[in-house]
Amino acid sequence: MKLLETEIKDFGKLHQKKYTFGPRINLIGGLNESGKSTFHTFLRSMLFDMERGRGRASKNDIYSRYLPWDRPGNYGGSLDFTSGGHTYHIERCFLAGARSSSLYDVTTNRAIGDIPAALPPLIGGLRESSYNNTVSIAHSRAATDGSLINDLKNYIGNLTAAGSGDINLSGAVNDLKKEHKALEKKLLPFQDSEYHALKSHIADLEEELDTRSCTGSLEALAAARDSAKQELSARTSRRETLNRLILQARNALAGSGFQNAEEASAMDNRLTNAYSTYIRYNRGKPMCQSKGLVFLFNLLAFVLLFATLYFFHLGSRAFLTKNYLSSLSFILPYLISLLAAMHLRTRAVKSRIGIAAAQFLSSYFDAVLSDRAITSENCDRAHKKVVDYLTLKEKADQCAAEAEHELQKIFQLQESLNEVSARIESQQRVDWELDHKQEELQKDRILLQEMEQKRDHNQKIREEIDALDLALYVMDNISSTIQKTFDPYLNRTASEILESLTDGAYSDMRVDENLSITVVSDYRDIPLESLSTGTVDQVYLAFRLAVIRLFWPSEPMPLILDDAFASYDDKRLTGTLSWLHSNYRGQVLVFTCHSREKLLLKASGVPFTEICI
Amino acid sequence: MKLMHIADVHIGVTPDLNKPWSQARAQAVKDTFAALIGIAEKEQADLLLIAGDLFHSQPLKRDLKEINYLFATLSRTQVVIIAGNHDYINPSSNYNSYPWAENVTFITSSELTQAEFPWLNTVVWGLSYRSREMAEPVLDHIKAPDDGRFHILLAHGGDPKHLPLNYRQLSRAGFDYIALGHIHAPACSKELGIVNVGCPEPLERTDFGKRGYVLAEIEKGSRDIRWIPCSTAEYIPVTLEVNVHTACTELCRQFADIVSQRGRQNIYVLTITGYRDPDVEFDPEALSALGNVAQINDLSEPEYDFDKLYHEHSYDMIGTYISAFLGESEHSSLHKKALFYGIRALLNNQSR
């Protein structure tokens, strides 16, 4: 594409100007404030139309800045250019309310409608942003390193076979990443493992509740406990009654004077014996005189015995039967008196026994019956008392035995009562556990439902996240594919140009995937940041020139250098301009306010067209 | 002989958990059940048949007390209940040995049992679930005797894992009325006398339509079966069509109109279809604020003319991006979404 000529009707300070471009280097010069940037803006506006700012931005946008205040009606102009062998004429009017553009194919005498769609292909696919990225180089662009990288990134990311795009790829990627983050924030906490754990816990609970035995026995146990309790209290009160009876009996027995039953029956026997003795032995009449008699009879018996023995002794000398007889006659009274003595003695003894018995009886009756009289009634009464004692004792003993028996039973009952209570407690616990588990199951089921809701929610969001991931992946793929295609060639081309431009000072430059440029000099890698501004400009220039060469391998585009050499010294400038003349096949528009370009071009014999604003 | 037939009340269920109307719906299930008892009394029905799943899960003793109280208020009606697959009778179930009111017969056996009502000249045959599933088709070969009495079958099932039923065989088994439960959508066959009454209140967002109960008058040789709706709210599916001009507020207004037309008490399941302006996103919260919205399926797609875009942007990333996807033979929803996301991001980052 080549610019031919342009007519400015009214644009800023430029009125009714016509300029014709040369085929190669064009030096567009003028003093400061002459309208160079106006001219450049005009060219851009003709190629890409003019965007009005919105709202407050409209006060200072390009439209307002260049709107002629005296003759707004002609705000616009025309531009003629060639492209693909055809010549085109484009006319635009920028005045708000009367905006118009027309594109005319001069070669075929055809008007072209739909300029926004039709024009870009004619100008090599250029849009305003790519224009700034490629063919239009201004000095200020090189200084901003931060955006340089981004620009290069976008730049490379937008490269296609046909031309440069205008899409901020890193911006798009950032947007996607932001959306990704926002969606990730919307994910609810959900753990698959927790979910499955809960599910199996619920299954376990259901299984447990399905197989545990039922609660029926609680009533039976309670009934058993109640009856045991009743029995226990019955027996306890019975025992108390018995104990009371025993106490009463014991008190009564204590007053009877006996220690135990043996003593009582012994006493009873004594009584009976004593009484019968008493009755038999003369009712207790003392026989004290028998003592004297007894002695007498004993003496007599002794004398008689002696006499008997004497006569016997005598008798043995004189064999006289009379002595035997006399001894015999003495023996008999002796025997009789002995017998009498014995009888008397036994009588005495018996009477003593009788008296003792009487004493015993009377004292006993006195003590027990308060009646000394020894009568059969008293005897009966005493006997009855013993009998009463014995009966009472027996009863008391019986009661004691029964009380003991009740005590044993009570112990047994208490034990079984404890056992039943324990069983009731454990059954109640089981029941409570079952109820509790039932409630737990219900709660868990609701929890599971909630977890499922969360899971479904997350699933939906994940689908979106997956789509975003895919979008990012594809974008990444595209940009890296493009990079891979162009990088080596780009690096080689840019390196060649750089070497040429810098006269061999820097012969190698690389742009890597992170789009950091390194320059090689003397076998050393030098990052871009550590080079001087002028060198950076040249690197930038080399890079752009390489890109331009790649984009437009066949039809060259005009290269616009708007005050791009401010930091170049004369030597560098000469070198660059010569290089451009030799190597750049397209038009070069050099905007400058200095005269040195002119001088240097003249000095080096490079042909150029001069356009004075 | 007049009977009332209900099933699948699911007392204790919390529909649409965590939605604002969830508790109200849970209460509505209980209230409707009480109302149904009132209707049985008003109609002086001879029998009230409850075909299973009266409770949503194992009932507690206090739950049984509540309904037993309601049953006891019936002056004439005899209640016959079976357990379904949700409130199945397990060993620890409170259904075992609960002291029901006199007019209640709870068939607890899992084998077909007969409950006789001589003064009604009726026999009710029923069986309960004693486990979560019943895969055996135990009712396939039953036959009711032709002895001049009314024979009614009460069962809960109808799918392969829950008492599979052969409806044709059942219709020829000689029952005067077959009262079924388990399937929540009502289906009556008046000719065959087989009635799947459905639940009295819809329980989840796929239960579209009204729900109710059945009143039937049975004579030998004729049956008059009426299905009567009684649900206090419905789930209503609504489809909203959008186009490139539809804004979010307009969609909300459309939906608000529908809600006021069809009832604020109902619960809506929204589906949005059509091709929308790519910059427009429909706010689900705004829609949910206008009524009871159980679910929103946004099936709308951003309107991108991909051919046009591809043509316009063949020089740049957008074109390349589109071509990466156009290679696909099948447009899976994942690819579609990725394409939309990418194009939107790229278009939004276009500098002029």
Side-chain angles (χ1 to χ4, degrees), chain A residues 12-247:
Chain A
K13 59 173 67 140
L14 300 171
H15 303 292
Q16 304 292 16
K17 292 277 194 315
K18 251 192 177 158
Y19 301 106
T20 311
F21 295 99
R24 302 302 305 286
I25 296 184
N26 292 268
L27 208 58
I28 304 171
L31 302 166
N32 287 354
E33 292 289 316
S34 52
K36 289 190 303 301
S37 41
T38 311
F39 184 47
H40 191 184
T41 311
F42 172 77
L43 284 176
R44 280 208 311 278
S45 303
M46 288 308 292
L47 289 173
F48 309 115
D49 210 343
M50 199 190 273
E51 270 271 310
R52 286 236 51 190
R54 300 254 177 94
R56 269 190 255 148
S58 64
K59 282 206 215 123
N60 293 316
D61 65 356
I62 291 175
Y63 175 88
S64 310
R65 286 222 306 270
Y66 296 103
L67 177 64
W69 57 88
D70 43 358
R71 285 200 298 262
N74 283 329
Y75 189 14
S78 68
L79 177 67
D80 288 40
F81 63 93
T82 57
S83 169
H86 289 224
T87 308
Y88 298 91
H89 173 86
I90 180 166
E91 253 185 61
R92 292 194 197 262
C93 175
F94 301 118
L95 183 65
R99 294 191 72 130
S100 69
S101 305
S102 59
L103 179 62
Y104 196 70
D105 183 337
V106 177
T107 316
T108 59
N109 253 328
R110 244 177 2 108
I112 300 173
D114 196 6
I115 295 172
L119 185 55
L122 301 176
I123 52 174
L126 273 180
R127 287 173 202 278
E128 186 155 7
S129 55
S130 52
Y131 172 86
N132 290 327
N133 274 338
T134 55
V135 297
S136 168
I137 304 177
H139 170 62
S140 55
R141 298 291 268 118
T144 54
D145 256 81
S147 61
L148 171 79
I149 304 298
N150 243 3
D151 283 345
L152 282 175
K153 257 196 188 149
N154 290 332
Y155 188 64
I156 287 182
N158 286 324
L159 293 184
T160 65
S164 50
D166 59 343
I167 297 177
N168 185 351
L169 177 66
S170 48
V173 168
N174 275 345
D175 281 356
L176 288 178
K177 283 189 177 160
K178 260 194 248 166
E179 274 186 83
H180 195 278
K181 243 191 194 161
L183 279 178
E184 275 184 347
K185 278 212 184 111
K186 279 193 185 167
L187 284 173
L188 295 168
F190 173 83
Q191 287 266 37
D192 232 13
S193 54
E194 264 184 51
Y195 174 73
H196 287 295
L198 185 61
K199 243 189 163 176
S200 67
H201 179 68
I202 286 178
D204 287 343
L205 272 177
E206 283 177 342
E207 165 121 25
E208 195 181 328
L209 288 169
D210 276 354
T211 50
R212 287 276 271 264
S213 65
C214 70
T215 68
S217 52
L218 196 60
E219 282 84 29
L221 283 175
R225 183 180 61 177
D226 286 339
S227 83
K229 264 193 174 159
Q230 270 183 9
E231 203 186 323
L232 184 67
S233 72
R235 283 189 191 265
T236 314
S237 63
R238 171 112 186 89
R239 180 159 169 266
E240 271 169 22
T241 318
L242 285 173
N243 281 344
R244 261 204 316 273
L245 284 174
I246 292 171
L247 200 62

Side-chain angles (χ1 to χ4, degrees), chain A residues 256 258 362-371 381-382 385:
Chain A
S256 67
F258 297 122
S362 66
S363 61
Y364 185 76
F365 287 162
D366 189 34
V368 168
L369 303 172
S370 314
D371 179 8
R381 280 169 66 193
K385 270 216 161 177

Side-chain angles (χ1 to χ4, degrees), chain A residues 235-519:
Chain A
R235 283 189 191 265
T236 314
S237 63
R238 171 112 186 89
R239 180 159 169 266
E240 271 169 22
T241 318
L242 285 173
N243 281 344
R244 261 204 316 273
L245 284 174
I246 292 171
L247 200 62
Q248 278 177 3
R250 289 251 161 86
N251 284 341
L253 289 172
S256 67
F258 297 122
Q259 300 287 50
N260 52 34
E262 289 76 27
E263 202 186 290
S265 35
M267 182 62 84
D268 191 48
N269 282 343
R270 270 183 75 184
L271 275 173
T272 328
N273 291 341
Y275 191 67
S276 56
T277 312
Y278 172 80
I279 295 294
R280 241 182 324 140
Y281 298 160
N282 215 9
R283 300 191 185 267
K285 273 202 256 180
M287 304 207 52
C288 42
Q289 59 264 55
S290 319
K291 253 196 177 143
L293 271 175
V294 168
F295 177 71
L296 222 61
F297 275 114
N298 271 336
L299 194 63
L300 189 62
F302 186 69
V303 167
L304 285 175
L305 181 65
F306 186 70
T308 306
L309 284 176
Y310 182 68
F311 280 118
F312 189 69
H313 175 66
L314 283 181
S316 63
R317 287 243 188 117
F319 199 74
L320 283 169
T321 44
K322 232 197 259 182
N323 288 350
Y324 285 128
L325 238 59
S326 55
S327 68
L328 223 68
S329 65
F330 280 119
I331 285 178
L332 207 61
Y334 162 73
L335 284 173
I336 289 172
S337 59
L338 197 66
L339 282 169
M342 281 175 65
H343 175 72
L344 277 176
R345 209 188 30 231
T346 45
R347 270 188 77 186
V349 164
K350 284 192 181 166
S351 96
R352 262 206 308 280
I353 292 173
I355 291 168
Q359 271 182 338
F360 166 70
L361 282 172
S362 66
S363 61
Y364 185 76
F365 287 162
D366 189 34
V368 168
L369 303 172
S370 314
D371 179 8
R372 303 191 68 99
I374 303 176
T375 56
S376 69
E377 291 85 26
N378 277 358
C379 207
D380 285 338
R381 280 169 66 193
H383 176 71
K384 186 165 173 303
K385 270 216 161 177
V386 170
V387 166
D388 282 347
Y389 173 87
L390 285 174
T391 349
L392 194 59
K393 189 92 184 358
E394 199 182 308
K395 236 184 161 178
D397 285 345
Q398 256 183 8
C399 281
E402 208 181 314
E404 185 61 33
H405 171 77
E406 291 295 327
L407 188 66
Q408 290 307 316
K409 270 275 182 291
I410 284 171
F411 283 153
Q412 273 180 8
L413 275 174
Q414 273 177 345
E415 254 184 54
S416 69
L417 197 63
N418 287 342
E419 194 193 305
V420 166
S421 290
R423 279 172 65 191
I424 287 179
E425 256 186 52
S426 76
Q427 186 63 51
Q428 276 177 339
R429 229 180 305 126
V430 162
D431 279 357
W432 180 84
E433 262 182 43
L434 279 178
D435 250 1
H436 183 70
K437 282 213 150 84
Q438 199 74 264
E439 282 191 23
E440 196 188 322
L441 183 63
Q442 281 186 358
K443 285 205 191 109
D444 280 347
R445 284 210 180 112
I446 288 182
L447 205 63
L448 193 75
Q449 254 187 300
E450 285 183 359
M451 285 184 106
E452 281 170 351
Q453 277 182 350
K454 278 191 195 163
R455 183 190 56 182
D456 295 339
H457 171 90
N458 282 0
Q459 200 166 1
K460 272 192 171 170
I461 292 185
R462 286 238 169 76
E463 282 175 15
E464 302 299 310
I465 291 180
D466 286 346
L468 279 169
D469 282 339
L470 182 58
L472 282 165
Y473 174 76
V474 170
M475 271 193 203
D476 195 47
N477 239 16
I478 291 174
S479 67
S480 52
T481 313
I482 289 169
Q483 248 175 276
K484 285 205 191 91
T485 320
F486 287 106
D487 260 355
Y489 190 55
L490 197 64
N491 284 343
R492 209 174 45 239
T493 316
S495 303
E496 279 170 17
I497 298 173
L498 185 64
E499 187 179 21
S500 205
L501 280 177
T502 59
D503 257 342
Y506 298 98
S507 58
D508 210 349
M509 63 177 276
R510 283 198 316 275
V511 180
D512 64 12
E513 308 85 56
N514 301 325
L515 299 168
S516 24
I517 303 180
T518 16
V519 169

